Amino acid sequence: MQLSEKDQSFVYHFGEMGSKWGFNRTVGQIYALLVISEDALSANDLASALSISRGNVSMGMKELQSWQLVQVSHIPGDRKEYYSAIGSVWDMANRVFQERRKREVDPTLTVLRNLLLEEPKSDSEEYAQQKMQDIHDLLEMLTDWAAELQSLSPQQLGTLMKLGAGVSKVLSVKEQLFNKNKDNS
Amino acid sequence: MQLSEKDQSFVYHFGEMGSKWGFNRTVGQIYALLVISEDALSANDLASALSISRGNVSMGMKELQSWQLVQVSHIPGDRKEYYSAIGSVWDMANRVFQERRKREVDPTLTVLRNLLLEEPKSDSEEYAQQKMQDIHDLLEMLTDWAAELQSLSPQQLGTLMKLGAGVSKVLSVKEQLFNKNKDNS
DNA sequence: TTAAACTTTCAGAAATTACTGAAAGTTTGT
DNA sequence: ACAAACTTTCAGTAATTTCTGAAAGTTTAA
């Protein structure tokens, strides 16, 4: 398989970027190629298009499957497996966020919670502990909120984001609402 | 310098995590140590506490300075430079987000914009281009929104996040507001 | 049961990234 | 101008990560 120049730019760039988003260059390239390919591709297609070994493709697909980013399908009369990217671009972003949270943030929260169980024994430990608490609280808030956002429909999310500068305006509205409710209760 | 067991857990764990957040293990450890140290530390303090070479500390500090995460200070009568972490945990998170956006998302947007300038020449190019467009739009929306959030005060941000499940409720209120305004104009 | 057509695994090699420590550079005081 | 007290740089080395390709494993069909 031969890539067009445009596809190559895209695929190579996402290889570089992919490595910053939690998987390595090759895995990034495989995924990029699957995303822009209308038809599902076989492992051999991927290996030849990207000039990498068959074994490397196999390992890459395993990784992408663990991120739940790809789908396997079959063509009748053909024994090969065919791969394609799963879902919309939104779905993809959600998956990546979720997976990164699970792999990076959750273990940190666990470590922090354990450290925070012990009482500080000196002023400097007190200071350190306070910082750990701050980081814990921040991470917890961010993950809770991210989960919240993921429960919204893409439609709602779109509305929320397009709101842009309006967020603070809406916040003040919320404030009024909240107070009104308080009076009522 | 000798680290307490608790500090060690924290520092080592953040070494591992730091490497997922854009800098390497050692840089992560240096930063973690600075965050939980009430007093500023010299390069030698850092080298001995983490058992790394003096040269490595120097390179690490350069990196942290490029992220604008640390501050240099001096003690009268002492020629050494003393380092400390800058700002609150919120500030730190902001810096990291901002810097990662600049290093990872912005270059991707540039590449995508260039690729999107050309007209697709076939159906499969059409499909690929549409995917690139979707990714572009998503990234642009996310970065615009992130910038928006960063312009809010920590106070407002806190309110927004604590809102949690309430976000969708607020959204519908916003909808009503918006419609009312439309009627008025 | 054999073989063809595939996929997966994994030991060793290649590529990349990080680290050390000696040398060079800088600043300050005398 | 010199030297002491520091910091930075960078060539070479060490550690880590990624990749290859041959061998082992799996599935299907006859």
Side-chain angles (χ1 to χ4, degrees):
Chain A
M1 251 190 70
Q2 184 71 30
L3 292 184
S4 76
E5 204 177 322
K6 202 190 284 183
D7 289 356
Q8 256 193 14
S9 298
F10 179 79
V11 164
Y12 287 173
H13 181 79
F14 268 78
E16 301 307 323
M17 282 309 133
S19 70
K20 316 222 165 190
W21 277 92
F23 24 76
N24 71 34
R25 183 147 73 291
T26 313
V27 173
Q29 291 179 356
I30 294 176
Y31 187 56
L33 186 46
L34 291 177
V35 166
I36 57 172
S37 294
E38 195 159 10
D39 305 321
L41 302 176
S42 73
N44 286 326
D45 292 339
L46 291 166
S48 83
L50 301 172
S51 308
I52 59 178
S53 75
R54 187 60 190 69
N56 200 0
V57 172
S58 180
M59 291 189 301
M61 293 312 305
K62 198 170 145 192
E63 173 80 4
L64 287 173
Q65 264 154 355
S66 84
W67 286 77
Q68 307 189 70
L69 286 169
V70 289
Q71 212 169 19
V72 180
S73 58
H74 290 270
I75 296 181
D78 186 342
R79 281 200 192 169
K80 289 204 247 359
E81 299 198 318
Y82 285 83
Y83 306 103
S84 46
I86 244 172
S88 69
V89 170
W90 274 106
D91 295 331
M92 156 190 129
N94 265 339
R95 278 282 143 67
V96 172
F97 278 132
Q98 214 169 316
E99 202 64 27
R100 281 179 68 94
R101 199 210 65 213
K102 211 163 68 194
R103 294 175 189 211
E104 295 161 23
V105 182
D106 290 356
T108 300
L109 280 175
T110 304
V111 169
L112 287 173
R113 286 196 185 107
N114 284 333
L115 293 176
L116 289 170
L117 288 178
E118 292 170 51
E119 278 304 306
K121 297 187 188 63
S122 66
D123 276 4
S124 79
E125 280 197 19
E126 172 84 39
Y127 181 89
Q129 188 121 346
Q130 185 56 52
K131 287 293 176 179
M132 294 182 203
Q133 184 76 58
D134 290 350
I135 295 174
H136 171 272
D137 293 350
L138 174 65
L139 287 180
E140 191 169 66
M141 194 181 265
L142 285 175
T143 54
D144 286 355
W145 202 50
E148 210 51 66
L149 290 186
Q150 289 192 331
S151 74
L152 296 181
S153 69
Q155 170 96 49
Q156 286 178 303
L157 256 181
T159 308
L160 187 58
M161 300 222 166
K162 281 190 201 101
L163 211 54
V167 168
S168 56
K169 210 181 300 168
V170 171
L171 273 185
S172 65
V173 172
K174 180 258 162 193
E175 202 58 30
Q176 293 162 20
L177 244 195
F178 178 70
N179 287 332
K180 199 165 70 186
N181 286 344
K182 212 159 75 179
D183 293 346
N184 287 350
S185 64
Chain B
M1 249 188 71
Q2 185 71 29
L3 292 185
S4 77
E5 204 176 321
K6 201 191 287 182
D7 289 356
Q8 254 190 16
S9 299
F10 179 79
V11 164
Y12 287 174
H13 180 80
F14 269 79
E16 301 307 322
M17 282 309 132
S19 70
K20 315 221 167 193
W21 277 91
F23 23 77
N24 70 32
R25 181 146 79 291
T26 313
V27 173
Q29 290 179 356
I30 294 176
Y31 187 56
L33 186 45
L34 291 177
V35 165
I36 57 171
S37 294
E38 193 159 10
D39 304 321
L41 301 176
S42 71
N44 287 325
D45 293 339
L46 291 166
S48 85
L50 301 173
S51 308
I52 58 178
S53 75
R54 188 60 190 67
N56 200 1
V57 173
S58 181
M59 292 188 300
M61 293 312 304
K62 199 171 144 191
E63 173 79 4
L64 287 173
Q65 263 154 356
S66 83
W67 286 75
Q68 306 189 70
L69 286 169
V70 290
Q71 213 170 18
V72 181
S73 58
H74 291 270
I75 295 181
D78 187 341
R79 281 202 191 168
K80 288 205 248 356
E81 300 198 319
Y82 285 84
Y83 306 102
S84 47
I86 242 171
S88 69
V89 170
W90 273 107
D91 295 331
M92 158 190 127
N94 267 340
R95 278 281 143 68
V96 172
F97 278 132
Q98 213 169 315
E99 202 64 27
R100 281 178 68 94
R101 200 209 64 214
K102 211 164 68 192
R103 295 175 188 210
E104 295 162 23
V105 181
D106 290 355
T108 300
L109 281 174
T110 304
V111 168
L112 287 174
R113 286 195 185 109
N114 285 331
L115 293 176
L116 290 170
L117 288 178
E118 290 170 53
E119 279 304 307
K121 296 188 188 62
S122 66
D123 275 5
S124 80
E125 281 197 17
E126 172 83 38
Y127 181 89
Q129 188 121 345
Q130 184 57 52
K131 286 294 177 178
M132 295 182 202
Q133 183 77 57
D134 290 350
I135 295 174
H136 171 272
D137 293 350
L138 174 65
L139 288 180
E140 190 168 67
M141 195 182 264
L142 285 175
T143 55
D144 286 355
W145 202 51
E148 208 52 63
L149 290 186
Q150 289 193 331
S151 75
L152 295 180
S153 69
Q155 170 96 47
Q156 286 178 302
L157 255 181
T159 307
L160 188 57
M161 302 222 163
K162 282 190 200 100
L163 211 53
V167 168
S168 54
K169 209 182 301 169
V170 172
L171 272 186
S172 65
V173 171
K174 179 257 164 192
E175 201 58 30
Q176 292 162 23
L177 248 192
F178 177 70
N179 287 333
K180 200 166 70 186
N181 286 340
K182 212 158 74 176
D183 293 347
N184 287 349
S185 63

